[in-house]
Amino acid sequence: MTVPPRDLLPAGLRRSWAADGTCPDLDLYGLFRARQIADPHHTAVLDAKGKLCYTALDRKVRCLAVGLRGLGVGPGDVVGVRLPDDRNAVIADLALAALGAVALPFPVDRGVPGAESLLRRSGAVAVIASAEHRDVRHAAGLQNLVRSLPALRHVVAVGPGEVPEGAVAWSELLRSDPEAFVPARPDPDGAARILVSYGSEPDPGSEYGSEPDPGPEYEPRMVAYSHNALAGGRGDSLASLIPDRTPPRCLFLVPLASAFGAGGTPVVLARHGGTLVLLDRFTPGTALEAVREHRPTHVLGTPASIRAMLEHLDPADERLAAATALVLGGAPLDAATATAAAEAFGCPAVRLYDSADGVNCHTGPTRTVPPADGAAVVAGLPDPRVAEFRDTGGDRAEPARLG
């Protein structure tokens, strides 16, 4: 079993958030399962393969969980996940939560040296990775680390592509019997996911502002989130942007493996019973097509990705379907971009702060043009009830508590 992360918060404080109803006090898979039972045929994921409903997703999750348990993955174990944005990444997220394991997702555009650092320092016992993605054989590169990392026992290769020698095929794990699975029901205050921060959020593609791989000398920060922190604090943050409480339909233009993208599976699906609209690769054209076809209620991206989409728009085109909010983070949002985006999408552009630092706050849906300068600075202990920050015009932000 992986050594658990050190908790920086008093246990009594954590329990108080569950006692007062701020956090749901349920594990992520338990929350997802309740959503599946309540609306079994609701669409959970829309990706390049089409629609996947909650019931079909749950079956795949249970199959994978049985397969991973057969490899020895259990409660508290850290498992790396290096997959593009598609249904497989969601299946992996939920299966690990159901096992009581801790997911360590990291983007597919980072090199093996960065992956080695994360897997070594986290004590990961396994890693799930694409056999081949954009002509890069990720699973093979990670399989080479098994001998040098004492804790790492298994590499699971997700097709298509050749499964490297010594690795386990994802397709074999999915052939497991879902009826044989009994969820672990982990402690909701226990770690569910490790967020990885490279200093700034990676943008969807290098031509739209992503940071280059920092190289083998750089060791990114890791922040462990509990089930309650994801479903509670993160969940409340999105809830404040859902005025009618209708299950949201969220288009993610950032990797689900990023700190920003951590709100995907745990928040959109498990907490709110919504739909994830996923692109395995961002281009302005495919993103605009997804907006027109799937009519998302929320578009989550970076200022650079939205600017690219705006530049791709033909002035003669009809106005985009109005969403509830554009949620933009990873970099300052300038007034010109915010104004143009609000006009094109017919909804406010909301600025997101500090998703990698355990806070995850935003400027709120009422202001169309968020402040261009200054970032939220938070002193003291993080409070999951602080889901919105109102800019005060300087380099600090004033927390607005949600009732």
Side-chain angles (χ1 to χ4, degrees):
M1 176 176 170
T2 308
V3 176
R6 184 166 60 97
D7 194 345
L8 301 179
L9 291 179
L13 180 60
R14 281 197 183 280
R15 281 290 82 206
S16 72
W17 292 336
D20 68 13
T22 297
C23 295
D25 211 23
L26 289 171
D27 65 278
L28 293 174
Y29 179 73
L31 288 167
F32 166 78
R33 178 70 171 166
R35 292 293 183 180
Q36 183 269 324
I37 292 171
D39 195 352
H41 303 300
H42 188 71
T43 299
V45 178
L46 280 164
D47 63 4
K49 289 186 177 181
K51 294 181 180 180
L52 187 67
C53 74
Y54 270 73
T55 297
L57 173 59
D58 186 46
R59 182 177 180 84
K60 292 179 182 294
V61 166
R62 287 172 169 259
C63 287
L64 180 61
V66 171
L68 290 173
R69 182 173 282 172
L71 296 179
V73 176
D77 285 336
V78 173
V79 176
V81 180
R82 191 178 200 179
L83 297 173
D85 280 12
D86 59 22
R87 62 188 61 192
N88 291 333
V90 178
I91 293 167
D93 268 351
L94 289 169
L96 293 173
L99 287 168
V102 183
L104 171 61
F106 50 100
V108 293
D109 61 352
R110 300 292 177 179
V112 170
E116 188 277 339
S117 170
L118 292 170
L119 297 173
R120 170 176 49 81
R121 290 185 292 134
S122 67
V125 301
V127 59
I128 302 170
S130 299
E132 186 173 334
H133 180 65
R134 301 185 195 171
D135 300 323
V136 178
R137 299 183 64 204
H138 292 292
L142 294 169
Q143 183 65 32
N144 293 332
L145 299 177
V146 172
R147 292 182 180 179
S148 60
L149 298 179
L152 187 63
R153 301 193 299 265
H154 299 288
V155 174
V156 178
V158 183
E162 181 181 351
V163 176
E165 184 178 355
V168 180
W170 170 272
S171 57
E172 290 295 324
L173 298 183
L174 286 181
R175 293 193 183 102
S176 304
D177 179 10
E179 305 299 327
F181 181 64
V182 178
R185 300 302 185 215
D187 178 2
D189 283 336
R193 182 183 179 111
I194 297 175
L195 275 61
V196 176
S197 173
Y198 292 89
S200 62
E201 287 292 304
D203 223 347
S206 59
E207 65 268 44
Y208 305 111
S210 67
E211 295 292 327
D213 193 299
E217 301 301 321
Y218 182 77
E219 294 195 332
R221 291 180 296 132
M222 295 187 286
V223 180
Y225 262 62
S226 69
H227 297 258
N228 268 334
L230 288 164
R234 279 291 181 100
D236 286 347
S237 181
L238 181 61
S240 66
L241 298 174
I242 310 175
D244 58 2
R245 296 297 183 260
T246 301
R249 180 179 292 242
C250 297
L251 170 61
F252 274 79
L253 305 179
V254 294
L256 293 181
S258 67
F260 188 173
T265 305
V267 174
V268 177
L269 298 188
R271 168 67 189 275
H272 293 295
T275 300
L276 287 171
V277 183
L278 303 177
L279 306 175
D280 64 354
R281 185 172 188 175
F282 173 88
T283 68
T286 56
L288 287 169
E289 182 181 351
V291 170
R292 293 189 176 101
E293 180 179 356
H294 301 306
R295 302 179 67 87
T297 59
H298 299 75
V299 179
L300 298 94
T302 62
S305 59
I306 293 298
R307 281 193 293 270
M309 293 170 68
L310 293 174
E311 291 169 1
H312 196 79
L313 276 174
D314 187 330
D317 287 347
E318 62 182 51
R319 187 174 179 175
L320 294 170
T324 300
L326 302 177
V327 185
L328 307 180
L333 176 60
D334 62 278
T337 299
T339 301
E343 174 63 26
F345 286 84
C347 65
V350 175
R351 184 180 174 192
L352 184 74
Y353 297 89
D354 294 337
S355 58
D357 295 321
V359 181
N360 200 73
C361 44
H362 58 72
T363 53
T366 56
R367 181 183 299 187
T368 302
V369 183
D373 300 317
V377 178
V378 182
L381 296 173
D383 186 336
R385 292 168 295 183
V386 179
E388 177 182 331
F389 272 68
R390 298 189 182 124
D391 190 82
T392 58
D395 61 354
R396 297 187 61 82
E398 175 188 352
R401 295 184 183 274
L402 301 180

